Amino acid sequence: MALHSGLVRDLEYYIPDGNTVIQVENVLFKVHRYMLSRDGSAFEGMFLLDNIPKSDSAETLIMSNSESIQPYTDSHLHRQHSSPEGSSDKTPILLPGDTAAEFRSFLWALYALPAEVFAMPSTQAQITRLIGIARFAHKYAFRTTEGWALSVLTMCVCQAPDTPSGHDIHGDVEVDTEAGRSIVSSTELLIQLTEVAVLCTHDELHEAVEPIWADLLFAGQTQDIVSAMGLADRYKSQLRPLLGLAYYLMMLKGKEEWTKSASGDVEDDSEKKKKPRLSRDQRIRLLSGYYNLSRACEALPNNPPKLTHHPSCFMPAQQAQQTIGLGGTGTAAAHAHARCGESWDTLWAGLVMSTASSNAMSNIKIHSVDLLRKMHMVNHVLESMVNGVDGLAVADGNVATNAASTLSIMGGGAYAMAGNMNKNCLRMALKASEEKVNDVLYGLADCFVE
């Protein structure tokens, strides 16, 4: 019902026997005060400041019900009386900064029957509703409702879609159904999920959206990457890995793509205002990242991952003496251990430097500052050495091609260096190299500073 003041009564949650009127935007809600006073919420403390009891007497409720069936006329609006805040449409409790849609979603959570809650499907509309519930519950300290909404959101995001195995496309996001990842239909919805996870400091939901972001960014759509950059810039301390990865992938696209993204060039002019654009500060950070990663790539051959030698590398002195043929019972083991470490340093440097040369021998080109791809390729070569050359057959096709090229460039040198290492130490070296990739991924954000 529209009122002459521009306010409207909510069709669903203007409850006739409610005793508290709340205005959100231009919508009036009439609900039961005791429903808002539960769970130690902020409303409970607010209601204690006035003289209205949490539940009206039966007489008051009867009078309210009899009044509600009468036409809502101007005389009601202009009736002069002193009423506490929230007791009538004329003196509603105002909730600035909230949206009517979110408050309506929150009231559904308060009033819904158990059967309705359990039957709630994992649709995009319901995910949006749950995000609104979580935001409102967090703001007004409904801890139980907040925890429930976030738990259900996490389950929805992690729930495997009922589709054939393989890769499926839903809206803007490519979903790996084999990995059991949830369907997220748009980048905007993914942004909202991430924001509510950060707002409520909910680690489980945060961890659930991270792999979806990774799939989305590696798909390479520029607008999705720019959107991720904007989101990560707003929550730098909480979204460091996302910030680093988004800037990194945008950096690899080159200055021409940066310019297009900054100007908002699109085929349809009507979409210009909707498309996120790169700001001047973001482009400065991209240039800074290019410089820093160039230096990191130049230094990479001389910075091998720290190798923790396997206990078997420290051979008994007598065995080491027989193997190496060195004199002295105390020095043979030390020489064998030292040679293992030196071989690892040499092997690492050779593998890293050969990644650039392998570009000329394969169809897959590695950008000169693509630090992650360089390290991933080195890891695949190391893995093939640990498992044998046949290990390349099970690797990703593109990476396997480059790894094979790397081995062919190094010739027998790679296997000679690997042969000088303790086999268990070679496995430890592979583990150290994989951990270095994770460290670099988390530290990418430090490269993109103004």
Side-chain angles (χ1 to χ4, degrees), residues 260-320:
K260 290 181 180 179
S261 299
S263 63
D265 286 345
V266 290
E267 294 182 1
D268 186 357
D269 290 339
S270 65
E271 297 183 6
K272 271 189 178 181
K273 294 182 180 179
K274 301 178 183 178
K275 299 276 187 181
R277 302 183 184 185
L278 284 179
S279 67
R280 177 179 178 275
D281 290 342
Q282 287 175 325
R283 282 178 285 162
I284 291 175
R285 287 194 286 270
L286 286 170
L287 287 170
S288 176
Y290 188 95
Y291 172 75
N292 291 329
L293 284 165
S294 296
R295 296 185 62 184
C297 287
E298 292 173 359
L300 188 61
N302 299 320
N303 289 288
K306 183 178 180 180
L307 173 61
T308 301
H309 291 269
H310 192 271
S312 62
C313 187
F314 302 91
M315 295 185 295
Q318 185 177 1
Q319 181 183 351

Side-chain angles (χ1 to χ4, degrees), residues 235-245 441-446:
Y235 305 100
K236 288 184 174 68
S237 60
Q238 299 95 336
L239 299 177
R240 282 179 54 81
L242 179 62
L243 186 149
L245 182 60
L441 183 60
Y442 187 81
L444 281 176
D446 294 331

Side-chain angles (χ1 to χ4, degrees), residues 195-208:
E195 286 177 333
V196 77
V198 172
L199 173 68
C200 302
T201 60
H202 196 264
D203 293 339
E204 290 81 2
L205 181 56
H206 194 167
E207 292 171 1

Side-chain angles (χ1 to χ4, degrees), residues 90-391:
K90 193 173 182 180
T91 57
I93 296 174
L94 301 178
L95 298 183
D98 298 306
T99 68
E102 285 191 354
F103 188 54
R104 190 178 297 112
S105 295
F106 177 75
L107 292 177
W108 174 86
L110 292 186
Y111 281 96
L113 296 174
E116 294 177 303
V117 174
F118 286 113
M120 184 177 62
S122 299
T123 62
Q124 302 305 318
Q126 294 299 348
I127 290 178
T128 301
R129 169 184 275 185
L130 286 166
I131 291 173
I133 293 171
R135 283 175 175 166
F136 192 91
H138 176 81
K139 180 176 180 179
Y140 293 100
F142 288 86
R143 299 306 180 203
T144 302
T145 305
E146 176 189 353
W148 167 79
L150 292 169
S151 296
V152 177
L153 269 176
T154 304
M155 287 190 290
C156 290
V157 172
C158 295
Q159 180 178 334
D162 185 18
T163 55
S165 62
H167 283 78
D168 195 9
I169 301 295
H170 296 270
D172 299 328
V173 179
E174 180 177 353
V175 179
D176 186 352
T177 60
E178 287 183 338
R181 291 176 187 162
S182 170
I183 298 173
V184 178
S185 66
S186 69
T187 305
E188 179 57 34
L189 184 60
L190 186 56
I191 290 174
Q192 291 180 38
L193 284 166
T194 308
E195 286 177 333
V196 77
V198 172
L199 173 68
C200 302
T201 60
H202 196 264
D203 293 339
E204 290 81 2
L205 181 56
H206 194 167
E207 292 171 1
V209 299
E210 280 184 343
I212 303 177
W213 271 117
D215 286 347
L216 177 66
L217 295 182
F218 280 116
Q221 295 296 320
T222 299
Q223 291 302 324
D224 292 334
I225 296 175
V226 175
S227 296
M229 291 169 62
L231 173 66
D233 280 335
R234 294 196 297 274
Y235 305 100
K236 288 184 174 68
S237 60
Q238 299 95 336
L239 299 177
R240 282 179 54 81
L242 179 62
L243 186 149
L245 182 60
Y247 270 87
Y248 180 81
L249 294 176
M250 191 66 196
M251 177 201 68
L252 295 179
K253 287 183 173 292
K255 290 184 179 179
E256 183 177 350
E257 194 67 24
W258 305 353
T259 303
K260 290 181 180 179
S261 299
S263 63
D265 286 345
V266 290
E267 294 182 1
D268 186 357
D269 290 339
S270 65
E271 297 183 6
K272 271 189 178 181
K273 294 182 180 179
K274 301 178 183 178
K275 299 276 187 181
R277 302 183 184 185
L278 284 179
S279 67
R280 177 179 178 275
D281 290 342
Q282 287 175 325
R283 282 178 285 162
I284 291 175
R285 287 194 286 270
L286 286 170
L287 287 170
S288 176
Y290 188 95
Y291 172 75
N292 291 329
L293 284 165
S294 296
R295 296 185 62 184
C297 287
E298 292 173 359
L300 188 61
N302 299 320
N303 289 288
K306 183 178 180 180
L307 173 61
T308 301
H309 291 269
H310 192 271
S312 62
C313 187
F314 302 91
M315 295 185 295
Q318 185 177 1
Q319 181 183 351
Q321 184 178 2
Q322 294 174 354
T323 303
I324 306 176
L326 297 176
T329 58
T331 59
H335 278 290
H337 173 66
R339 187 168 68 173
C340 181
E342 292 171 358
S343 297
W344 165 237
D345 293 344
T346 304
L347 175 61
W348 170 264
L351 291 176
V352 171
M353 289 187 291
S354 65
T355 58
S357 301
S358 65
N359 278 337
M361 301 184 61
S362 68
N363 295 325
I364 308 301
K365 304 300 181 184
I366 299 180
H367 198 291
S368 61
V369 293
D370 194 347
L371 182 62
L372 287 178
R373 183 175 285 270
K374 290 174 182 287
M375 296 182 66
H376 275 301
M377 196 174 77
V378 169
N379 285 347
H380 278 283
V381 175
L382 289 172
E383 187 175 0
S384 72
M385 291 179 174
V386 171
N387 300 326
V389 180
D390 292 339

Side-chain angles (χ1 to χ4, degrees), residues 8-120:
V8 295
R9 290 177 173 178
D10 189 73
L11 297 177
E12 187 173 2
Y13 291 108
Y14 192 93
I15 303 173
D17 66 350
N19 59 355
T20 301
V21 179
I22 295 178
Q23 179 183 337
V24 185
E25 296 180 316
N26 67 327
V27 182
L28 294 177
F29 299 84
K30 191 174 185 180
V31 296
H32 300 95
R33 179 165 292 208
Y34 72 87
M35 296 293 287
L36 296 176
S37 300
R38 301 184 301 178
D39 206 11
S41 71
F43 284 93
E44 181 178 11
M46 179 176 63
F47 292 152
L48 291 175
L49 298 178
D50 59 41
N51 295 320
I52 294 183
K54 291 182 180 179
S55 59
D56 286 341
S57 65
E59 181 180 357
T60 305
L61 289 175
I62 292 173
M63 293 176 61
S64 176
N65 286 335
S66 63
E67 181 180 355
S68 65
I69 62 176
Q70 299 175 3
Y72 198 88
T73 63
D74 287 348
S75 62
H76 289 76
L77 288 173
H78 295 287
R79 186 170 52 195
Q80 298 296 324
H81 64 292
S82 58
S83 301
E85 188 178 24
S87 61
S88 70
D89 289 0
K90 193 173 182 180
T91 57
I93 296 174
L94 301 178
L95 298 183
D98 298 306
T99 68
E102 285 191 354
F103 188 54
R104 190 178 297 112
S105 295
F106 177 75
L107 292 177
W108 174 86
L110 292 186
Y111 281 96
L113 296 174
E116 294 177 303
V117 174
F118 286 113
M120 184 177 62

